[in-house]
Amino acid sequence: MAKRKRGIFGWIWFVTWRFLLFLTLFLLLLRFVPLSTTSFMLQSSYPVTQHWISIDKLPAHMAMAVVASEDQRFPEHFGLDFTAISKALNQYQYDDGLRGASTITQQTAKNLFLWPGRSFVRKGLEAGLAVSLEVIWGKKRILEVYLNVAEFGKGIYGVEAACQHYFQKSARHLTPEEGARLAVLLPSPRTRDPHNLTPYLRQRVVWVEQQMQQLGTGYLNPILDN
């Protein structure tokens, strides 16, 4: 029996380390190539539009807008924001809803490999993948991929496609105010339009711009200059 148990554990280890090796090599490959599709794009019920753009060709205020709106501790954490996770778990205990706490890294991992919805299983996979992205990709690549795969409307993925759709120009020429308008779409992109924002979302745009100014123009320089 002991020999059989060792055989089972040995088989599990055999499969596990080969899977981890494959995942590492796959993520290394994705670190250097433009991504033309993701799990979320493949699951989209709308025709998909996406145009890859290098983060070096984007104005710095576009990256600042999404960081200010979505994840202000992005330069500091290692894929997981434990303060936000603690708050989300406390909220979960009170209203039985698992919400929030996702960093930009986690959102990138989710968009690339997972599925919509909220569950502890998906959150667990998301957390593991997020840490892997931090180790293998680094902050600049994570932010670049996020800006290119996040959904900004029905089937509109990435800031370049969003700018061409909403503003009829390339993201290279995006203004800070337009960047903030795109950033406030992210939590619910299929129901929001930067040209038709509710009073709450207009206030949110102002708040994002204020946060961008407060964080400072050099806040992301240690990431973007790498």
Side-chain angles (χ1 to χ4, degrees):
M1 182 64 70
K3 184 176 180 180
R4 184 179 179 182
K5 286 183 178 179
R6 285 196 299 269
I8 292 173
F9 289 126
W11 182 84
I12 292 173
W13 170 243
F14 178 86
V15 172
T16 300
W17 80 260
R18 279 167 172 73
F19 171 76
L20 293 175
L21 177 62
F22 170 79
L23 178 62
T24 300
L25 294 175
F26 184 57
L27 291 179
L28 277 172
L29 173 65
L30 295 185
R31 180 180 179 181
F32 299 104
V33 298
L35 304 182
S36 59
T37 191
T38 67
S39 175
F40 268 44
M41 291 183 202
L42 292 173
Q43 296 173 73
S44 175
S45 56
Y46 302 97
V48 170
T49 302
Q50 188 236 17
H51 306 291
W52 181 272
I53 184 169
S54 168
I55 195 170
D56 294 323
K57 296 181 180 179
L58 287 172
H61 51 254
M62 184 64 244
M64 277 293 299
V66 297
V67 168
S69 179
E70 297 285 294
D71 182 7
Q72 293 191 11
R73 284 191 283 268
F74 177 70
E76 303 167 6
H77 62 64
F78 201 67
L80 307 176
D81 186 340
F82 290 101
T83 300
I85 290 172
S86 177
K87 291 180 180 178
L89 289 175
N90 288 335
Q91 185 181 41
Y92 174 77
Q93 292 175 353
Y94 287 108
D95 64 11
D96 294 326
L98 188 62
R99 301 174 184 155
S102 288
T103 63
I104 283 176
T105 311
Q106 287 175 269
Q107 292 178 55
T108 303
K110 177 187 68 177
N111 289 343
L112 285 176
F113 302 113
L114 302 176
W115 60 89
R118 297 187 179 104
S119 71
F120 280 113
V121 172
R122 201 211 68 188
K123 280 291 184 183
L125 293 171
E126 183 182 290
L129 287 167
V131 173
S132 299
L133 292 182
E134 292 279 346
V135 172
I136 298 172
W137 284 8
K139 295 289 186 182
K140 183 176 181 179
R141 178 59 173 177
I142 291 168
L143 193 54
E144 178 178 53
V145 171
Y146 181 70
L147 290 168
N148 277 283
V149 304
E151 188 176 16
F152 288 90
K154 295 177 179 178
I156 303 168
Y157 291 86
V159 295
E160 180 66 14
C163 287
Q164 292 183 20
H165 178 79
Y166 293 118
F167 304 122
Q168 292 75 53
K169 62 182 178 181
S170 170
R172 294 178 178 88
H173 309 298
L174 202 67
T175 68
E177 194 264 349
E178 289 168 338
R181 283 179 173 266
L182 289 182
V184 302
L185 305 182
L186 290 170
S188 186
R190 295 183 179 183
T191 62
R192 297 177 180 182
D193 183 325
H195 296 304
N196 187 27
L197 297 174
T198 64
Y200 165 76
L201 289 176
R202 287 197 294 270
Q203 292 178 355
R204 179 74 179 177
V205 169
V206 173
W207 181 85
V208 169
E209 290 183 289
Q210 290 173 342
Q211 294 301 300
M212 292 166 66
Q213 294 174 358
Q214 184 173 321
L215 291 171
T217 55
Y219 186 63
L220 295 179
N221 283 355
I223 294 173
L224 299 179
D225 292 342
N226 287 337

